[in-house]
Amino acid sequence: MITEVVKANELTKVDPVFGQASFNDHEQIVFCHDKDTGLKAIIGIHNTVLGPALGGTRMWKYANEWEALNDVLRLSRGMTYKSAISGLNLGGGKAVIIGDSKLDKTPELITRFGQFVNSLSGKYITAEDVGTTTPDMDLIRDVTPYVTGISEERGGSGNPSPVTAYGVYMGMKAAAMHQFGSASLDGKRVLVQGTGHVGETLIDYLTKEGALVQISDINQARMEEVGAKYGAKIFMGDDIYSADVDIYAPCALGATVNDETIERLKAKVIAGAANNQLANENIHGKMLQERGILYAPDFLINAGGIINVYAEIAGYDKVEAMKRTENIYNTTLEIFHFAEANGVTTQQAAMSIAQKRIDDRKKEMAK
Ligand code: NAD
């Protein structure tokens, strides 16, 4: 969930905000505090060229404020590129609330946070993330219209995870097409790491198509339940990264593609839901390219969730959300072709296409 957390003593060597590597040209950063409810939150607004900055609110027990700041900045920048590559008229933003969601979260604290969101007059629109829930979004809705991911009973778009899983499935099929010459996953050996909300639905799609699925999860009970439900095999080896499979689908944590794991990977495709799979975008993207492992950029193929919540702003229904998510197949193929034609990694290709969309809009606006 939280990757690339930089140690506090490394962070304090540079200027606190604008000097952080993760600052990365943010437009605005808002620090929110309320003594009565104990709220300490940071809202990062990375870029609003394409539209309002939309991104979830994460509630996490950060070791210190530096870690929270670094996390929100890194995540909000990621949202800019996710929305841009997905063709959505949204900018990138994210919020973090510092605290343990199980112990420190109260309705008053969430409501107060919603008031801070409201004070930004729509420049930032929030949604759910780790540590926040649909009922929290409903509470926020009571004090501001600038929230998505509210319950279906209140006119919201409901649980985004199945839509995310569908997008990952589409991205994986595109990767199979490019790498193996066929989009069919029938008979392909796929390792799914993480059998949570997204992982489970992905496993359902894969087993239905005839893929030979192996699964892994640190939650033994969950893994056994999902394995039994879909007839997926539990991975029994010591090291999942050296599993003899065609496709590795990270659906648990970020940064699992790193110096140690790339050497051991036998899979020829990486396509999964986890955010920030590459521990270092440039170094590890390049290492994968050199080893002939095709990487489907995470922020592109896991965008089903944001496509789903965007329905609440753009006013489309679930059918349309699924149709737009299906298009991840075409976009992923385009990225692979662009990467090959330009001799860059797939991550760089996706980033530069997303950046171009932002730059073009900026030029149009300046006219
Ligand atoms: P989840 O919390 O429901 O599931 C994650 C699963 O991974 C859990 O079952 C957990 O036990 C397991 N896990 C944790 N550490 C593990 C490890 N080391 N090895 C194996 N399994 C491990 O989360 P989710 O909603 O299914 O999301 C999965 C990933 O996709 C996350 O990284 C999330 O940030 C990302 N993502 C999710 C969505 C969405 O719509 N839910 C959208 C975009 C990205």
Side-chain angles (χ1 to χ4, degrees):
M1 279 178 285
I2 295 166
T3 59
E4 299 178 340
V5 170
V6 182
K7 289 194 184 78
N9 58 356
E10 286 169 31
L11 288 168
T12 49
K13 284 182 197 153
V14 293
D15 284 338
V17 180
F18 301 121
Q20 299 292 321
S22 51
F23 174 71
N24 247 315
D25 298 327
H26 269 71
E27 283 179 18
Q28 191 175 359
I29 302 168
V30 184
F31 293 85
C32 316
H33 176 243
D34 181 63
K35 198 173 170 210
D36 295 343
T37 57
L39 175 75
K40 278 187 185 160
I42 312 172
I43 300 171
I45 298 174
H46 179 252
N47 192 292
T48 56
V49 171
L50 294 175
L54 192 148
T57 296
R58 178 170 291 191
M59 184 160 185
W60 191 256
K61 197 172 177 298
Y62 293 99
N64 52 59
E65 292 169 16
W66 298 101
E67 208 182 90
L69 178 63
N70 185 51
D71 205 33
V72 73
L73 295 179
R74 201 179 49 78
L75 291 164
S76 67
R77 172 178 176 265
M79 293 308 296
T80 296
Y81 291 100
K82 186 184 293 220
S83 287
I85 197 72
S86 307
L88 308 178
N89 290 325
L90 291 175
K94 200 90 182 182
V96 296
I97 297 176
I98 301 171
D100 185 330
S101 63
K102 293 201 175 73
L103 301 174
D104 305 325
K105 194 162 72 178
T106 60
E108 293 76 21
L109 179 139
I110 291 293
T111 301
R112 190 69 188 95
F113 173 72
Q115 288 166 344
F116 277 107
V117 172
N118 195 52
S119 73
L120 293 168
S121 309
K123 192 170 184 186
Y124 168 69
I125 300 174
T126 199
E128 146 180 9
D129 195 71
V130 177
T132 57
T133 60
T134 307
D136 294 334
M137 297 308 119
D138 283 351
L139 272 179
I140 292 174
R141 184 65 187 86
D142 290 339
V143 291
T144 182
Y146 307 121
V147 54
T148 56
I150 53 174
S151 60
E152 283 174 292
E153 301 84 74
R154 291 192 58 173
S157 57
N159 181 6
S161 302
V163 191
T164 301
Y166 186 57
V168 172
Y169 175 56
M170 288 296 116
M172 191 184 285
K173 284 175 82 64
M177 181 71 204
H178 193 81
Q179 188 77 323
F180 307 125
S182 163
S184 170
L185 298 171
D186 188 10
K188 287 279 173 288
R189 299 163 304 161
V190 186
L191 179 85
V192 180
Q193 179 186 32
T195 56
H197 293 102
V198 180
E200 176 174 355
T201 310
L202 178 64
I203 292 162
D204 188 17
Y205 282 121
L206 293 174
T207 49
K208 279 190 180 132
E209 193 173 329
L212 307 171
V213 181
Q214 291 187 55
I215 58 173
S216 133
D217 200 297
I218 48 168
N219 182 336
Q220 185 77 19
R222 169 89 192 161
M223 179 169 63
E224 283 171 9
E225 184 196 323
V226 171
K229 191 165 166 193
Y230 301 98
K233 263 203 201 157
I234 290 175
F235 175 74
M236 298 304 271
D238 301 330
D239 174 21
I240 63 157
Y241 301 103
S242 52
D244 195 10
V245 291
D246 303 303
I247 301 170
Y248 163 50
C251 296
L253 312 163
T256 59
V257 181
N258 55 47
D259 287 343
E260 281 94 58
T261 57
I262 292 177
E263 299 292 317
R264 313 202 301 266
L265 282 178
K266 293 203 180 76
K268 286 289 168 215
V269 163
I270 301 176
N275 282 314
N276 305 308
Q277 290 165 25
L278 305 179
N280 179 303
E281 275 175 25
N282 293 324
I283 297 171
H284 300 117
K286 191 82 192 143
M287 278 170 78
L288 291 175
Q289 186 188 28
E290 283 163 4
R291 291 176 63 92
I293 300 171
L294 184 65
Y295 171 64
D298 50 15
F299 69 96
L300 163 66
I301 74 167
N302 74 12
I306 191 151
I307 293 172
N308 192 57
V309 294
Y310 186 56
E312 292 176 32
I313 298 168
Y316 51 77
D317 61 9
K318 199 76 170 187
V319 176
E320 175 65 17
M322 290 300 269
K323 218 171 91 192
R324 289 179 182 219
T325 302
E326 195 165 299
N327 196 43
I328 287 177
Y329 177 86
N330 295 320
T331 315
T332 309
L333 277 182
E334 277 166 34
I335 300 293
F336 294 151
H337 294 146
F338 181 97
E340 264 181 12
N342 293 282
V344 295
T345 69
T346 54
Q347 174 80 11
Q348 286 164 337
M351 291 290 282
S352 65
I353 291 173
Q355 186 64 55
K356 184 173 181 310
R357 196 173 159 236
I358 296 167
D359 294 344
D360 287 351
R361 179 71 60 86
K362 217 169 166 179
K363 276 184 214 144
E364 272 168 37
M365 281 161 38
K367 276 181 197 164

